[in-house]
Amino acid sequence: MSETNPAAAEPVAPHRYTAAMAADIEARWQDFWDADGTYAAPNPSGDLAGDPAVVARPKKFIMDMFPYPSGAGLHVGHPLGYIATDVFARHQRMTGHNVLHTLGFDAFGLPAEQHAVATGTHPRVSTEAAMDNMKRQLRRLGLGHDKRRSIATIDPEYYKWTQWIFVQIFNSWYDTDAQKARPISELVAQFESGERQAPTTRAWSELSAAERAEVLGGYRLAYASDAPVNWCPGLGTVLANEEVTSDGRSERGNFPVFKAKLRQWNMRITAYADRLLDDLDALDWPDAIKLQQRNWIGRSEGARVDFPVGSEGDAITVFTTRQDTLFGATYMVLAPEHELVDAIVPAAWPEGTHEVWTGGHATPAEAVAKYRAFAASKSDVERQADAKEKTGVFTGAYAVNPVSGDQVPVFIADYVLMGYGTGAIMAVPAHDTRDFAFARAFELPMRCVVEPSDDRGTDASTWDDAFASYDAKLVNSTGAEISLDGLGVVDAKAKITDWLAERGIGEGTVNFRLRDWLFSRQRYWGEPFPIVYDEDGVAHALPESMLPLELPEVEDYSPRTFDPDDADTSPETPLSRNEDWVHVTLDLGDGPKEYRRETNTMPNWAGSCWYELRYLDPHNSEKLVDPAIEQYWMGPREGQPHGGVDLYVGGAEHAVLHLLYARFWSKVLFDLGHVSSVEPFHKLYNQGMIQAYVYRDSRGFPVAAAEVEERDGKFFFEGEPVKRELGKMGKSLKNAVTPDEICAEYGADTLRLYEMAMGPLDVSRPWDTRAVVGQYRLLQRLWRNIVDETTGDVTVTDAEPDEATLRALHKAIDGAGGDLAEMRFNTAIAKITELNNHLTKAGGALPRSVAEPLVLLVAPLAPHIAEELWRKLGHQDSVVHQDFPVADPAYVVDETVTCVVQIKGKVKARLEIPPTISDEELEKLALADEAVVAALGGAGIRKIIVRAPKLVNIVPA
């Protein structure tokens, strides 16, 4: 709802602080800062080297999460974190730090490509226009960024190094003995010398180039493989799980989505699973974010167990964390996509096959084919959902339980995913809820092997639900070679694991929920892979001299689409249509040859995996980053054993993927010696969200919030009642308020103050345009305390302030300074407001010794008005690099405090005493007080409780 400037209707003094004056002040100082290079942070060397005295200061590298340049521009919720980091950075500069604070743009992505498909406008054109608009909006907020360091992921000079990092990862393998990445050339040398045996039956020298490439693909940290994906023929593209609805259709267009196997690039992030877990401990991150990372990585200890199946010596390998329950495994389940399925399916159903197992199909092959088609139409999310009706089909094959020797039927079912574990489970229905439900549906046997702690007995066929416990004894677990009966779970696990290992049919192992990172996208607007294929299909990385490999022009940005129901199709990428670009002749060191380029592009995550490093040395054309510069800004130091950015601020929605991917890339670069920091971000802070009221009409549609009227606590739009609810702010909800609107009405400093004063930074809070005026009035009072509104002259004097003013000033300095250092911006503003109100009420001209620290106090929060007042106070240098005021301890502590003296819980006296008084001194004063003596009336004292300096509690005898 709109609110006019309350000052607009009043007579305005010629030098009053108004929105028009704020606009003039802010534009002038923004121009000055740009021309002066006020926020330029010097590097220790290189083209951005600067004053050695500044470099010698303690450094502080402060970062915001990369913004995506949306064509819709910013609303007031977007810059919350940017303003916060700017305030913090300004305070750090004023407290003696060399501060690196800049901002770039994560500019590749699907929205620009979709806009290009719809309009024919090249994605670069719309993206650069959106970037220009966002830069304008951000500049208006007075953000103190070192603009020399700003980058955009779509700049070929930036993505040259994204491609270079990909090549380093492609040319590396993870040495599990050394627990680090090493160049793939070292692995090849080991294979050639025989130091390491290649996983083949022939010598390395006997393998063809294609065979060697296949072997190395099993080791490389970036590798291509046939991976299960969500294929949407109707859109002509592969979709992420998040882009598929719960009923297995595309979120965009509502087309069917199928599971398909496509050749895709992957990152072997799973090699780093343990290090990604262990290194969390030393990071200063919110506990909730660490927990999400740990859960996503999902480390679990258990055992690998082989179940023989078929007559060809095959085995179904499962991973289980409850190997102690092996005797209770009465059937097995494979993911429908499991590679063994085709090998084990017989031509006909075994004699006596239960009718419910067949799904009504004549042969196992028919049943499996039909069920696979059914499962392919469901997303992974839907398959994992705890559906009431369990589905599946018998493969017609039986496996052998290795401990009992029993034949157990092998099913396929959609609740087992190929991407988790081994894609196969041993089902123990008596002790697992999902297995129990499946066994009930398919009338499968259940065997109790963990003694129930309740009165249900050990006949699982009579149970209503599964019994799962880690604090119980094993029963019904004796076979020909081993018995677990009577053992607790821990001891049973250890015994069965040793038994499996001795026989070579299993071993103790660690499993992770984390999967390798699918790194391909069938899109145009992304970084091209620096990969070409020779005539044998072997992938070769381009040398650094051929980077960047720039995106070519294409006539059509959209992928080819197909019949929405035709699952037997595959993507045709936009890049594949530029034949001159795809098919090239290159000399990669062994003469000119014909090659075919990779026509997928990298995902939008790629550019944001390493951008903190490019901020450090943005113009370096020879190296990713100069080692000395990286060491200076991000190297390990006391309190930061893994190094990294000092403060990284952004939304909690990036708690897992972006942070996990960036951590992975950082560790690979560290292992290969390119950086000194093991972790990219030492301290992480998640800001809350600015919410807004959404107004909906009788149909539930949002209406323009700015045009809603409030009458007697009810809300109306064009005369019709509407409902109000608190939600997100956005264009589609018709409740977006732009920073441009608020800046025009009140000024950028007011907007900055309001966003910081709304509440704790890490808590979401509702936007209320009507409340902005409170911070506007604070700035007006600040201005009036220093400037005569009629003449424009400074009114300060050289007189000494009184003691009350000195105490108010130094308490504000002490309190606000501590709050700014700890990012408690709302309480810092409250303390500055309290000081400003004290000065306003005191009246008269401010002493210079009070006015100047007052301006410095407000400078991090409202930098434009602070610069203007600092200049008016006679200073020629910028307020940005002044020292933050230091409180005098003598004035921070109250001269006296009031101590309450109670007798039987009732107040009998109040004593004005020094705040440093001891318990013993306070007790003597309290007992000597006339009112206390009179109240006691000569009675003895049973107990005295003294809490200096605030309380004395006397209990009479």
Side-chain angles (χ1 to χ4, degrees), residues 724-748:
R724 184 177 79 168
E725 60 188 43
L726 192 60
K728 289 184 177 182
M729 181 179 287
K731 186 177 180 181
S732 64
L733 296 174
K734 299 187 177 181
N735 62 352
V737 178
T738 69
D740 292 344
E741 296 172 55
I742 303 302
C743 288
E745 196 163 357
Y746 297 104

Side-chain angles (χ1 to χ4, degrees), residues 229-528:
V229 294
N230 299 310
W231 166 233
C232 181
L235 291 176
T237 188
V238 166
L239 301 178
N241 286 340
E242 295 76 16
E243 298 169 311
V244 182
T245 64
S246 61
D247 57 353
R249 302 181 76 85
S250 63
E251 191 174 51
R252 180 167 57 95
N254 196 37
F255 293 112
V257 176
F258 304 93
K259 278 294 178 187
K261 274 197 171 184
L262 297 175
R263 195 74 172 169
Q264 304 282 290
W265 281 97
N266 300 271
M267 293 278 183
R268 206 179 300 276
I269 190 173
T270 49
Y272 283 82
D274 274 321
R275 285 173 60 183
L276 288 167
L277 273 176
D278 295 342
D279 289 349
L280 282 171
D281 293 338
L283 300 181
D284 185 4
W285 286 18
D287 288 340
I289 303 299
K290 287 186 178 182
L291 179 62
Q292 288 183 65
Q293 291 253 319
R294 290 190 175 103
N295 289 342
W296 190 268
I297 296 168
R299 187 182 193 276
S300 54
E301 295 185 9
R304 174 185 60 78
V305 186
D306 292 335
F307 285 69
V309 63
S311 58
E312 303 299 321
D314 291 325
I316 297 173
T317 300
V318 303
F319 171 81
T320 176
T321 59
R322 291 301 304 270
Q323 59 268 39
D324 56 302
T325 64
L326 255 173
F327 281 96
T330 58
Y331 66 97
M332 303 190 76
V333 183
L334 302 182
E337 306 87 356
H338 199 290
E339 60 185 8
L340 266 181
V341 173
D342 290 332
I344 64 174
V345 172
W349 294 115
E351 187 177 348
T353 297
H354 198 312
E355 186 178 346
V356 75
W357 295 3
T358 69
H361 298 289
T363 66
E366 180 185 326
V368 166
K370 292 288 187 182
Y371 189 79
R372 277 177 158 175
F374 164 76
S377 69
K378 300 171 72 174
S379 69
D380 284 357
V381 174
E382 187 180 10
R383 284 172 60 171
Q384 287 180 288
D386 189 19
K388 291 182 180 179
E389 182 181 354
K390 295 298 179 187
T391 64
V393 69
F394 180 40
T395 62
Y398 286 85
V400 178
N401 185 318
V403 292
S404 67
D406 293 343
Q407 294 275 317
V408 293
V410 180
F411 285 75
I412 59 171
D414 61 4
Y415 76 91
V416 176
L417 301 178
M418 200 59 227
Y420 293 93
T422 64
I425 66 164
M426 63 174 210
V428 184
H431 306 293
D432 181 272
T433 301
R434 290 189 311 171
D435 295 346
F436 185 95
F438 190 91
R440 277 279 189 267
F442 288 88
E443 301 177 20
L444 288 157
M446 301 187 192
R447 179 173 180 166
C448 169
V449 294
V450 180
E451 188 173 41
S453 55
D454 50 27
D455 59 0
R456 65 174 68 194
T458 58
D459 182 0
S461 65
T462 65
W463 295 356
D464 295 324
D465 55 17
F467 173 77
S469 174
Y470 282 88
D471 185 20
K473 290 184 178 181
L474 274 292
V475 296
N476 299 326
S477 297
T478 296
E481 298 184 42
I482 187 172
S483 175
L484 305 179
D485 287 343
L487 296 178
V489 170
V490 173
D491 291 338
K493 279 186 174 185
K495 184 173 181 178
I496 192 65
T497 301
D498 290 342
W499 185 86
L500 291 166
E502 288 169 3
R503 283 151 184 78
I505 56 174
E507 62 181 346
T509 188
V510 174
N511 194 50
F512 294 92
R513 179 180 181 271
L514 180 66
R515 298 294 94 194
D516 280 346
W517 173 15
L518 182 64
F519 201 68
S520 294
R521 296 294 183 271
Q522 293 71 42
R523 295 173 183 156
Y524 171 72
W525 194 230
E527 297 94 335

Side-chain angles (χ1 to χ4, degrees), residues 850-863:
V850 174
E852 292 191 347
L854 173 63
V855 171
L856 295 175
L857 269 181
V858 82
L861 292 150

Side-chain angles (χ1 to χ4, degrees), residues 667-732:
K667 291 181 187 303
V668 176
L669 291 172
F670 172 79
D671 287 353
L672 298 177
H674 299 299
V675 299
S676 66
S677 47
V678 186
E679 288 281 342
F681 315 115
H682 171 69
K683 181 178 177 64
L684 175 69
Y685 190 100
N686 297 126
Q687 86 269 15
M689 180 187 298
I690 289 184
Q691 299 170 302
Y693 287 114
V694 182
Y695 298 88
R696 298 185 183 275
D697 61 20
S698 57
R699 303 167 299 169
F701 292 174
V703 301
E707 299 173 26
V708 171
E709 298 178 3
E710 181 178 357
R711 297 197 296 266
D712 300 325
K714 295 183 179 179
F715 304 95
F716 298 86
F717 175 74
E718 296 181 348
E720 296 296 322
V722 291
K723 290 183 178 180
R724 184 177 79 168
E725 60 188 43
L726 192 60
K728 289 184 177 182
M729 181 179 287
K731 186 177 180 181
S732 64

